[in-house]
Amino acid sequence: MRLVILGPPGAGKGTQAIQLAERYDVPHISTGDILRQAVKEESELGAEANSYIVAGELVPDDLMLGLIKMRLMGVDGRKGFILDGFPRTAVQAEGLDGLLSSFDEKVDAVISIEVDSKVLVRRLSSRRVCPCCGRNYNLLSSPPQRPGRCDQCGAKLIQREDDKEQTIINRLEVYTEQTAPLKEFYKNKGLLKQIDGQVSVEEVFQRIIKTLQ
Ligand code: AP5
């Protein structure tokens, strides 16, 4: 399975990608997670990417294409993938096609999760994450059992730097301008499947599975 998940910030791409990766036994490749890990490790990539992430802007295409090439050329990348957060621009989408065709492969399907902007702002402002194990919570729909603490490892939950309201608004604008046009790109290839993301997490998952069958 070679699946791309599209959708605005907060649509539930990561939430669904984790479950889909398990279901299809392929790696979940989240460019956002890779970049955040690089920032945490204070690597060269992290230093370069951080100012873009904090501002809610996209990291330059050449950097992203290099990163995804390395990841897909790895052993587990060869057996398929769930791509979450990549591609995000026309240059990245063309680059992905070129890279896959050099392996004689192609994207099998593209899921676009659709959610209204108002819901997205609410979801993102109430998201909390565990800085230790990475688990994701939502104060409205999936709060931790003990307020402010991770159910899994007990660490103190934090808010992502880019989940502040002004940055969220900028991320949504960037999505509309640079990423939403990819829906047309994949529709023209007959790969696009649009899914309503405003139902429960489980319901979204079931609908994705059904549309992929
Ligand atoms: P990235 O981490 O990819 O952020 P994003 O696309 O903005 O997506 P999010 O992680 O915010 O949301 P999501 O759709 O995964 O939703 P989630 O499942 O978490 O990228 C961050 C930054 O890195 C970018 O801004 C950019 O700077 C850089 N970057 C990354 N990739 C790049 C690229 N390819 N090119 C250039 N730059 C790049 O869910 C959100 C919340 O909603 C959670 O709290 C969750 O619990 C809740 N939720 C999920 N589903 C539901 C549901 N059905 N009902 C109720 N609540 C739900």
Side-chain angles (χ1 to χ4, degrees):
M1 169 66 74
R2 295 184 184 86
L3 188 67
V4 166
I5 310 212
L6 286 182
K13 302 183 295 295
T15 303
Q16 296 300 328
I18 290 170
Q19 297 188 54
L20 289 164
E22 205 169 297
R23 168 91 179 206
Y24 293 108
D25 192 26
V26 290
H28 165 211
I29 302 178
S30 157
T31 44
D33 285 352
I34 296 172
L35 293 172
R36 279 184 291 279
Q37 184 61 28
V39 171
K40 200 169 160 186
E41 288 167 0
E42 299 180 351
S43 68
E44 208 177 304
L45 168 68
E48 197 164 351
N50 196 35
S51 58
Y52 295 99
I53 298 174
V54 170
E57 298 290 336
L58 295 184
V59 174
D61 286 332
D62 55 342
L63 212 66
M64 295 312 301
L65 280 163
L67 187 154
I68 214 73
K69 185 173 178 185
M70 292 260 291
R71 186 64 184 81
L72 291 186
M73 281 169 73
V75 181
D76 66 344
R78 303 273 31 81
K79 68 174 188 175
F81 50 73
I82 310 288
L83 273 183
D84 157 14
F86 186 95
R88 264 175 143 104
T89 64
V91 172
Q92 292 181 16
E94 300 279 7
L96 176 63
D97 277 0
L99 180 63
L100 291 176
S101 66
S102 72
F103 300 133
D104 219 9
E105 292 168 1
K106 61 178 184 51
V107 170
D108 296 318
V110 175
I111 298 287
S112 173
I113 306 180
E114 310 288 338
V115 178
D116 285 350
S117 311
K118 274 188 189 157
V119 177
L120 294 170
V121 175
R122 211 165 47 233
R123 270 192 200 173
L124 289 174
S125 354
S126 48
R127 171 167 57 190
R128 296 293 181 272
V129 291
C130 175
C132 294
C133 69
R135 191 165 160 179
N136 214 319
Y137 296 86
N138 195 284
L139 301 180
L140 303 174
S141 56
S142 54
Q145 284 166 11
R146 201 153 50 106
R149 294 279 170 184
C150 178
D151 294 347
Q152 210 155 278
C153 65
K156 194 168 175 215
L157 300 179
I158 56 162
Q159 184 171 35
R160 255 169 61 172
E161 193 65 35
D162 58 348
D163 278 349
K164 308 282 159 62
E165 194 162 334
Q166 197 44 52
T167 315
I168 293 173
I169 291 166
N170 194 34
R171 286 161 67 200
L172 291 173
E173 282 172 8
V174 168
Y175 171 79
T176 305
E177 282 163 21
Q178 302 193 52
T179 310
L182 294 187
K183 288 196 265 183
E184 203 54 33
F185 175 86
Y186 285 119
K187 193 174 174 189
N188 292 337
K189 290 175 179 280
L191 294 174
L192 185 74
K193 304 192 188 296
Q194 290 175 281
I195 300 283
D196 177 6
Q198 289 186 192
V199 290
S200 71
V201 169
E202 180 54 24
E203 183 60 30
V204 176
F205 181 66
Q206 291 306 332
R207 291 184 189 188
I208 295 176
I209 297 295
K210 199 168 165 207
T211 197
L212 290 175
Q213 274 164 0

